Amino acid sequence: MGELPSDFAAILLVGGRARRFAGCAKSELVVDGATILERMLAACAGAAARVVVGARPSDAAPLPEGVVQVLEDPPGSGPARSVRTGLGHVPDHCTRVAVLPGDLPFLTPEALRLLLGTADAGSPETGAVFCDNAGRRQWLCGVWPADRLRRNAAGVEPGAPARLLFTGIDIETVVWEDASPPPWFDCDTPEDLDQARTWAADLK
């Protein structure tokens, strides 16, 4: 289906406390022999920039060459401020930015291309997000117009809800109709992780 466009960037948010996993970072959980973060970075490998925002464990594996890691400012100030920090490391020529949590083990290049194609079918001010099976928009599994995202992020205060980042953006929703696990599936609980590992094993 081709490579990801050269004017696309991805921001991955890994700063959550993961209380349900006894403090273990969700992005470092292993699914099918790789951490979720490794799987996500591989899915975004064709992007012009990959920016990981948030603290990682001291014993975490080094990030691939070219991936930028930064801490949100101030630390612990929430996803909206994390995106604001990440945008500071997105090249100016990027017209669309994916905003993603760090716990999506089934994100794929195909899923990203589907989001990008849906957004591009609209206007330069259009974003696209996945919808889950219940019709809920997965706000942190989408792509957004970079200029509008920058303008919105410039005004967010620490602790501000992520939805403020998307104010004024025309939004298209995308349903994952493939038989493979949905790219928006996140590992919020140990049960979710078990499900992800089962699905991954079944894909072999």
Side-chain angles (χ1 to χ4, degrees):
M1 293 181 63
E3 298 181 352
L4 293 175
S6 60
D7 60 351
F8 159 74
I11 296 175
L12 292 80
L13 310 178
V14 303
R17 296 181 180 178
R19 294 181 181 90
R20 292 172 176 149
F21 291 97
C24 177
K26 293 189 290 184
S27 56
E28 303 299 327
L29 298 170
V30 174
V31 174
D32 193 25
T35 68
I36 296 176
L37 181 58
E38 287 170 337
R39 293 169 66 96
M40 294 184 67
L41 289 172
C44 303
R50 292 175 291 172
V51 185
V52 174
V53 185
R56 299 178 67 226
S58 58
D59 60 350
L63 294 173
E65 183 177 356
V67 176
V68 175
Q69 182 185 359
V70 292
L71 292 177
E72 67 273 22
D73 181 25
S77 51
R81 290 285 289 202
S82 294
V83 171
R84 173 176 165 170
T85 299
L87 285 167
H89 299 269
V90 169
D92 291 340
H93 76 271
C94 290
T95 60
R96 298 205 182 272
V97 179
V99 176
L100 306 162
D103 62 346
L104 305 179
F106 300 108
L107 184 75
T108 62
E110 292 77 16
L112 290 169
R113 285 192 288 267
L114 180 57
L115 288 171
L116 288 163
T118 301
D120 287 344
S123 73
E125 293 287 298
T126 299
V129 298
F130 276 113
C131 243
D132 67 16
N133 296 338
R136 294 182 294 258
R137 287 175 170 174
Q138 300 298 301
W139 293 105
L140 294 183
C141 192
V143 300
W144 306 95
D147 287 345
R148 172 66 74 168
L149 197 63
R150 290 183 192 279
R151 292 198 295 271
N152 289 345
V156 297
E157 299 294 333
R163 67 175 181 274
L164 296 182
L165 295 169
F166 314 128
T167 301
I169 297 177
D170 297 328
I171 301 168
E172 296 291 338
T173 56
V174 179
V175 176
W176 185 249
E177 297 180 343
D178 193 89
S180 60
W184 45 259
F185 181 83
D186 54 2
C187 290
D188 276 340
T189 67
E191 292 75 21
D192 293 336
L193 180 61
D194 289 342
Q195 179 66 79
R197 288 171 171 168
T198 298
W199 279 340
D202 290 342
L203 291 173
K204 292 184 176 180

